Amino acid sequence: MTSESTRVEGVESIADVADVEGGVGRAGGGSDEGEAVGWSVVRAAVPEFAGRVQERFGVYRHHVLATLRKDGAPRLTGLEADFRYGELWLGMMVGSRKVLDLRRDPRFSLHANPGPGADLSGGDVRVAGRAVEVTDPEVVARYATAVKPPEPFHLFRAELTEAVRTYAEDSYVVLESWVPGRPLRTVRRASDDAALQVG
């Protein structure tokens, strides 16, 4: 299935390796199908992996959010992401373009701030899914009391369809990927792995 330089856990075929890397059929890969779950479900399903993802997001305050413009083109903007009450929250200024994007099409991808330098300590982390706007006054007030964001603001709860962590280990690049209803997948590959080269 793969060259000897590639070690794959929980992957049946090269097509599944593409899936791990954000290929067709997953959020960020062009499909709006698939189950979307709250952060507490991710924590319950894969606690160690979820802990590493949350810890990596916690290193910096600002991250990069990808939404879809009206014409389908991607829009990248800065965003503060907050893990609280068992959920991943996305707070936004009133009237921002990303709010309009998410109201029109809730799909998003959130990339953790890579930080300075090139070592990517803690790995490269991203999550994707659908953002659900929260309008319940009690929930918004509770969040505002705890976080004290500039008001007024819009609040979205992330429902995830994918979480991915990439990091270096010895001579390998390691990709960990989780989607709802499937076990955590780990792919270790070397740069000379011909089986994964895209021509």
Side-chain angles (χ1 to χ4, degrees):
M1 180 199 74
T2 61
S3 71
E4 292 183 3
S5 65
T6 303
R7 300 178 189 173
V8 181
E9 300 168 18
V11 175
E12 301 297 327
S13 68
I14 288 296
D16 286 336
V17 173
D19 186 44
V20 168
E21 297 180 303
V24 175
R26 294 287 161 222
S31 174
D32 61 353
E33 298 179 9
E35 181 182 6
V37 299
W39 183 247
S40 60
V41 175
V42 183
R43 291 294 309 234
V46 282
E48 290 182 11
F49 171 70
R52 291 190 293 270
V53 169
Q54 184 170 338
E55 181 180 7
R56 182 63 184 78
F57 272 107
V59 174
Y60 298 98
R61 185 173 181 179
H62 297 95
H63 307 287
V64 179
L65 177 74
T67 57
L68 295 172
R69 299 172 186 260
K70 189 174 183 179
D71 65 0
R75 184 194 309 277
L76 298 178
T77 53
L79 180 84
E80 293 181 30
D82 185 43
F83 292 86
R84 190 177 301 270
Y85 313 126
E87 302 285 358
L88 170 56
W89 304 93
L90 311 174
M92 303 173 201
M93 291 176 57
V94 170
S96 67
R97 296 287 185 177
K98 55 196 166 198
V99 169
L100 299 177
D101 288 346
L102 291 172
R103 284 178 170 173
R104 185 174 50 252
D105 188 328
R107 291 176 293 171
F108 76 93
S109 186
L110 182 67
H111 190 278
N113 187 328
D119 63 341
L120 280 179
S121 178
D124 185 57
V125 170
R126 62 186 166 85
V127 297
R130 294 187 282 276
V132 178
E133 187 165 10
V134 178
T135 57
D136 184 322
E138 291 185 10
V139 175
V140 173
R142 179 177 70 159
Y143 184 86
T145 298
V147 179
K148 298 179 174 49
E151 295 194 48
F153 67 99
H154 294 286
L155 183 63
F156 290 82
R157 185 183 67 253
E159 293 189 349
L160 303 182
T161 56
E162 175 186 56
V164 178
R165 177 174 177 253
T166 306
Y167 61 96
E169 181 181 83
D170 300 324
S171 60
Y172 292 96
V173 171
V174 183
L175 291 92
E176 295 178 313
S177 176
W178 182 83
V179 297
R182 292 168 63 176
L184 181 68
R185 293 180 173 198
T186 303
V187 176
R188 291 176 174 83
R189 69 180 191 182
S191 60
D192 61 351
D193 182 2
L196 292 178
Q197 291 178 359
V198 179

